[in-house]
Amino acid sequence: MPDISKKDMTDAISVLIKTQYGLTGTLTRLAGENENYLLQTPGNTQFVLKLADENTSSGMIEIEHLSVERLIEAGLTLCLPRLVPTRIGGIEAQFLTDTGRLIRGRLLEFVPGQAWCDVLPAGPDRFAELGRTLAKINGALEVIVHPDAGRTHHWDLAKAQQHRPSICLVEDPERRRILEQVFLSYAAIAMPLFAFLPRALIHGDINDDNLLVDKGRIQGILDFGDCLENPIICDLAIALAYVTLDEPDPLEAASQVVGAYHRERALSMDELMVLFPLMCTRLAVSVIISAQRRKIDPLRASWFVSEERAWKKLKFFNDILPADAAVHLASKTGLAPYGDRGKPILELLKERKECIPPSMSAAYDAPLKIIRGKGQYLYDFHGRPFLDLYNNVCHVGHCHPRVVAAGQQQMARLNTNTRYLYDGLTDYAQRLCSTLPRELDTCYFVNSGSEANELALRIARTVTQRSDMLVVDGAYHGHTGTMIDISPYKFMGKGGKGFPEPWVHIVPVADGYRGKFKGQDSETGKAYGDEVGKIIRKIDRPIAGFITESLLSCGGQVIPPSTYFKTAFAHVRAAGGLCITDEVQVGFGRVGSHFWAFELQDVVPDIVVMGKPIGNGHPMACVVTRRQIAREFANGMEFFATFGGNPVSCAIGMAVLEVIEEEGLQYHAGQVGSHLLKGLTALKACHPLVGDVRGLGLFLGIELVLDRRTLSPATQQAHEMVNRLKNRGILLGVDGPFSNVIKIKPPMVITRADADMFLRILDDELTDMEHTQ
Ligand code: PMP
């Protein structure tokens, strides 16, 4: 656009006002973000001329005009910036300067009064008046329908996620920490509820500059330029973010506004739940936009007017727990958000000591009481949200509504057992088998991974008429007696007897990072596979089979090199054994490229064991094998599991498969997973504590070491890291033979934004740990 001097601009505007409005007077540029001029006519009437920028459409101006007229029509006794039509009745005037610049402007009636922020303190009466006024505004605007109302802009509170990646522009780590927390609450508490919040056209920027006060009363409202369709509660959240900026007890002040608002326009529980996160997010967006603008022009004071006040308040709000904030904000509405939290944590811990066995543990140094889950998020007693990067059971997301509904509906209709006929059993078995290679066509349904592995072992032993099994070092297959016997993770671990049963033979983990052979290539895979052959040859009895996870989880998130399974299975089969793959942790599309992790190595096992994600948290598991093996197993002894394959479980299992397919979660896992792995690889390059990062799809591991040469495990640091990450709202666990591998295996619905937040926070915490060690 051709440049124009200040004087030329004023001259051009004077001409525009004269020719198109028939007015003359003195023009003064007004302070603030937008290009606005005050026009003082000789008769002492004042107007404001607002210049439109290239992004301002006539639709937007129409919405502005409609909003103001609607508030007047609804009887709001406020001074409002009414649009003055041009001589020919237009809403906008245009003028082409000599230099070729098109000036577009609209003339508004002047609204007298002082800005809210210049008339402090406000006091309870003004807060109550604000509540009533906002409710009336929202009530009046609700009826406006305009095709351009669906617009957005960079202050759009319902799209604040767009600013999340810019957290890194803030240099101070403590401030970044606060912003990460705010955006986590926004993503976890507010965003999932957006779909359930009433929406309408809102003002969109009721800040303490746009609210005018006269003699202690609210007199007017300015600037309808940010009007847009949004969750209605955003207006209240924005106003509260600003009018409490200088309040010593901001939540008390805000509760007065909320109480008065609620009496005029009833708020829903969901609106009260999102209010505090939205207030904080508005402040966070404001400081992030300031950080962005500082890069453009650090001296433009009008851009930074509320920055330090916003930071001060963000810091203050950061110490307030979401549940306490919601309860306080709602205290004058008669509603009780977070009303069903149960017993306090200390009481619960005491009770656990009295009736729960001491061998059962609670995660983290300071255990969490989780009261709710949704998607990839869990919410604790205090309403704090956590990004769950650990729970591969709730595969399609915590409490997925489709899965919940499937269970509830079937539960309300019928639950029996497999001795009766019902469609659900065979429909589900067929659907499950359709995800597998053709040979794997027969399903046994049970209730847990342990039970499924028990059955797999029994099948192998019955069919081969042999007892001896090969198991992988560090593996875990379940908690029952025989499963402990085939789980080196347990029998070699704390409290274990320290040596295998005579029928159990341990083969090394195909670990290309820490093991005997290094690398991920097929030669390494073959070398590890041949180790299996060597061990078979040393056993003086024939083997029944080999049980292995397709990728090793408790063993330390190990991805066996290619050709490993082909080679190992060939040795096992040559010795007459069956090959069992335990997909309890890694199946159902988690690896992204394939539905089952064994498919990565182009092998077909004889028996596949499924658990955890199969029911998204409902206790079910399955053993799938070949028809011929199932025939040989049918030696006269009936197979019956009371709950296995019951109609409710089948309905739930079916819903899980449908959701995976319909939401494209396997593909999504591949995409987000490789993005995460790329980010982790970049972190490895700058943090020596990270010895190795590895994984496929959303099954990833970060191995921490003290020394990259000796691979000395950083066990204590890994423990500390998961506790640090928990304190920053991210749930992870540690595993592996040296307890130094951070395991990432989240619900498959995590987003790129979640992954990016995790990477930023991990980077922060690694940096901090390196400095403090
Ligand atoms: N196999 C593997 C690989 C597992 O990780 C687990 C559980 N952690 C099991 C089997 C046992 O499953 P469950 O706890 O459902 O009995």
Side-chain angles (χ1 to χ4, degrees):
M1 182 183 293
D3 225 1
I4 185 162
S5 74
K6 257 190 200 165
K7 161 126 193 4
D8 288 349
M9 183 60 128
T10 322
D11 289 348
I13 294 171
S14 300
V15 177
L16 176 140
I17 288 172
K18 176 101 187 46
T19 54
Q20 307 203 27
Y21 292 96
L23 292 169
T24 53
T26 33
L27 279 167
T28 325
R29 169 90 197 250
L30 292 170
E33 272 195 28
N34 305 319
E35 213 174 333
N36 295 342
Y37 292 82
L38 179 70
L39 171 70
Q40 177 110 27
T41 66
N44 255 349
T45 317
Q46 292 181 315
F47 296 93
V48 172
L49 183 88
K50 278 175 94 75
L51 289 196
D53 60 25
E54 60 268 37
N55 299 322
T56 313
S57 68
S58 54
M60 276 143 72
I61 299 172
E62 266 170 40
I63 292 174
E64 227 180 286
H65 175 51
L66 274 176
S67 304
V68 170
E69 292 305 314
R70 172 70 196 123
L71 295 187
I72 293 166
E73 179 192 296
L76 267 94
T77 51
L78 287 172
C79 293
L80 295 162
R82 274 187 109 161
L83 192 101
V84 180
T86 63
R87 275 177 165 174
I88 55 163
I91 58 170
E92 195 188 43
Q94 297 197 348
F95 180 72
L96 192 64
T97 68
D98 295 342
T99 56
R101 176 168 164 174
L102 179 70
I103 295 176
R104 293 166 49 207
R106 56 200 183 277
L107 201 63
L108 306 175
E109 286 177 7
F110 181 78
V111 183
Q114 280 175 286
W116 177 293
C117 54
D118 294 331
V119 198
L120 295 176
D125 288 347
R126 205 192 318 154
F127 284 124
E129 192 192 7
L130 176 62
R132 286 192 301 274
T133 310
L134 289 176
K136 283 187 186 141
I137 292 175
N138 286 154
L141 296 184
E142 231 167 347
V143 298
I144 295 181
V145 180
H146 190 282
D148 288 1
R151 64 180 291 219
T152 184
H153 49 70
H154 68 312
W155 290 100
D156 181 347
L157 195 49
K159 298 227 162 50
Q161 277 279 82
Q162 64 184 304
H163 297 290
R164 206 172 178 187
S166 305
I167 292 178
C168 54
L169 294 178
V170 173
E171 271 155 34
D172 178 38
E174 192 47 42
R175 288 184 164 186
R176 279 204 305 272
R177 178 182 271 267
I178 291 172
L179 293 181
E180 292 292 1
Q181 198 56 49
V182 170
F183 274 92
L184 174 58
S185 290
Y186 176 80
I189 301 174
M191 281 173 61
L193 288 176
F194 278 166
F196 306 99
L197 301 176
R199 291 175 71 85
L201 191 80
I202 64 164
H203 178 284
D205 191 20
I206 303 187
N207 65 44
D208 54 352
D209 259 325
N210 287 340
L211 272 169
L212 297 182
V213 177
D214 186 41
K215 299 190 196 76
R217 303 284 316 256
I218 295 171
Q219 144 114 354
I221 295 209
L222 295 181
D223 197 356
F224 286 72
D226 283 340
C227 277
L228 78 174
E229 194 205 295
N230 238 218
I232 296 172
I233 193 68
C234 290
D235 256 354
L236 184 56
I238 293 167
L240 291 180
Y242 288 94
V243 300
T244 62
L245 272 181
D246 299 301
E247 285 300 313
D249 191 348
L251 289 188
E252 181 50 31
S255 74
Q256 291 161 5
V257 182
V258 174
Y261 184 107
H262 181 69
R263 281 188 290 281
E264 189 74 33
R265 178 186 166 266
L267 289 160
S268 70
M269 198 69 98
D270 287 344
E271 287 181 307
L272 287 168
M273 301 275 280
V274 301
L275 193 51
F276 183 64
L278 288 180
M279 286 166 62
C280 296
T281 306
R282 172 60 183 221
L283 297 177
V285 167
S286 168
V287 297
I288 287 178
I289 289 179
S290 293
Q292 287 164 345
R293 288 175 166 178
R294 187 158 286 110
K295 298 250 176 277
I296 303 166
D297 183 359
L299 299 175
R300 189 139 144 203
S302 68
W303 276 355
F304 311 109
V305 271
S306 34
E307 191 184 13
E308 279 315 306
R309 289 157 76 216
W311 273 120
K312 211 168 130 216
K313 199 93 296 167
L314 276 168
K315 192 163 172 352
F316 182 90
F317 283 156
N318 188 51
D319 294 331
I320 300 175
L321 296 161
D324 293 347
V327 169
H328 201 155
L329 286 174
S331 58
K332 295 170 184 65
T333 62
L335 296 173
Y338 293 93
D340 55 350
R341 290 186 284 162
K343 294 170 193 160
I345 293 169
L346 287 179
E347 195 181 325
L348 211 54
L349 279 171
K350 189 170 154 281
E351 284 185 8
R352 262 171 88 109
K353 284 209 179 90
E354 284 159 8
C355 58
I356 299 298
S359 48
M360 262 170 70
S361 70
Y364 301 111
D365 293 345
L368 290 172
K369 179 177 180 186
I370 300 292
I371 55 168
R372 229 162 34 89
K374 189 164 183 62
Q376 65 275 44
Y377 300 111
L378 290 171
Y379 308 83
D380 80 349
F381 184 77
H382 305 288
R384 279 182 308 192
F386 292 87
L387 172 66
D388 183 359
L389 290 187
Y390 193 55
N391 199 330
N392 57 350
V393 175
C394 290
H395 195 66
V396 299
H398 291 278
C399 308
H400 193 292
R402 178 87 174 269
V403 179
V404 172
Q408 285 174 335
Q409 280 160 17
Q410 187 57 47
M411 187 89 169
R413 191 165 155 214
L414 171 76
N415 204 10
T416 51
N417 61 60
T418 49
R419 287 195 178 123
Y420 295 98
L421 302 184
Y422 43 92
D423 295 0
L425 179 69
T426 41
D427 285 352
Y428 178 50
Q430 281 168 354
R431 176 87 189 233
L432 193 56
C433 289
S434 74
T435 66
L436 286 155
R438 214 168 356 103
E439 312 79 312
L440 293 165
D441 55 5
T442 306
C443 304
Y444 300 84
F445 293 109
V446 288
N447 310 118
S448 71
S450 304
E451 200 186 339
N453 274 325
E454 278 280 355
L455 178 61
L457 177 67
R458 189 154 72 88
I459 292 172
R461 284 175 153 181
T462 306
V463 167
T464 60
Q465 299 280 300
R466 302 165 180 181
S467 296
D468 287 49
M469 288 296 294
L470 297 176
V471 302
V472 177
D473 202 5
Y476 176 70
H477 295 292
H479 66 84
T480 58
T482 324
M483 286 305 102
I484 298 288
D485 286 345
I486 63 162
S487 298
Y489 182 77
K490 286 287 189 194
F491 69 73
M492 296 300 288
K494 271 191 207 158
K497 60 186 176 200
F499 55 88
E501 288 287 312
W503 56 271
V504 174
H505 310 279
I506 303 176
V507 304
V509 191
D511 180 354
Y513 175 66
R514 191 174 272 285
K516 182 167 156 189
F517 308 109
K518 310 281 185 216
Q520 284 302 118
D521 53 286
S522 57
E523 252 168 62
T524 314
K526 184 165 182 315
Y528 277 118
D530 285 337
E531 288 293 298
V532 174
K534 275 188 215 157
I535 288 163
I536 293 174
R537 283 193 290 281
K538 277 196 220 147
I539 306 171
D540 51 8
R541 291 181 302 270
I543 54 164
F546 171 40
I547 181 163
T548 175
E549 282 184 271
S550 306
L551 309 174
L552 297 114
S553 50
C554 296
Q557 303 293 94
V558 176
I559 314 296
S562 59
T563 321
Y564 167 67
F565 282 121
K566 260 210 164 109
T567 315
F569 282 14
H571 288 298
V572 172
R573 284 174 173 151
L578 295 185
C579 298
I580 305 170
T581 53
D582 179 339
E583 290 265 345
V584 167
Q585 295 257 3
V586 295
F588 292 89
R590 178 162 295 280
V591 298
S593 55
H594 299 82
F595 201 81
W596 301 104
F598 67 77
E599 294 174 297
L600 289 159
Q601 298 222 355
D602 198 20
V603 289
V604 180
D606 302 299
I607 301 172
V608 178
V609 175
M610 306 164 187
K612 292 190 194 282
I614 189 171
N616 211 47
H618 175 78
M620 56 189 284
C622 182
V623 176
V624 185
T625 189
R626 301 163 196 260
R627 191 93 206 132
Q628 183 54 31
I629 293 176
R631 277 205 195 100
E632 288 168 33
F633 180 60
N635 60 1
M637 185 189 287
E638 186 199 12
F639 169 75
F640 177 69
T642 305
F643 303 120
N646 68 66
V648 172
S649 299
C650 289
I652 288 175
M654 188 70 120
V656 171
L657 290 178
E658 284 166 359
V659 172
I660 296 172
E661 188 177 319
E662 283 162 26
E663 295 186 10
L665 292 181
Q666 181 186 331
Y667 176 76
H668 179 77
Q671 296 293 303
V672 179
S674 53
H675 177 69
L676 203 44
L677 187 60
K678 213 160 113 205
L680 291 173
T681 310
L683 290 186
K684 180 183 150 190
C686 38
H687 296 289
L689 195 58
V690 179
D692 190 32
V693 295
R694 52 185 177 250
L696 290 162
L698 287 175
F699 183 82
L700 300 154
I702 310 168
E703 178 148 4
L704 300 189
V705 294
L706 296 172
D707 182 333
R708 283 190 180 171
R709 209 173 26 85
T710 61
L711 306 187
S712 158
T715 304
Q716 180 268 325
Q717 286 79 358
H719 174 84
E720 187 185 330
M721 181 56 83
V722 294
N723 279 286
R724 277 170 174 253
L725 291 170
K726 177 212 121 184
N727 292 337
R728 296 199 60 182
I730 299 172
L731 301 182
L732 282 158
V734 171
D735 226 322
F738 306 103
S739 295
N740 67 326
V741 181
I742 298 175
K743 304 207 303 190
I744 304 173
K745 47 192 183 81
M748 305 257 285
V749 291
I750 68 155
T751 62
R752 236 175 132 94
D754 295 321
D756 287 337
M757 172 187 77
F758 166 59
L759 291 166
R760 287 192 302 265
I761 291 181
L762 182 63
D763 189 16
D764 270 0
E765 292 300 326
L766 283 166
T767 309
D768 196 56
M769 232 161 131
E770 281 155 6
H771 286 144
T772 51
Q773 304 270 308

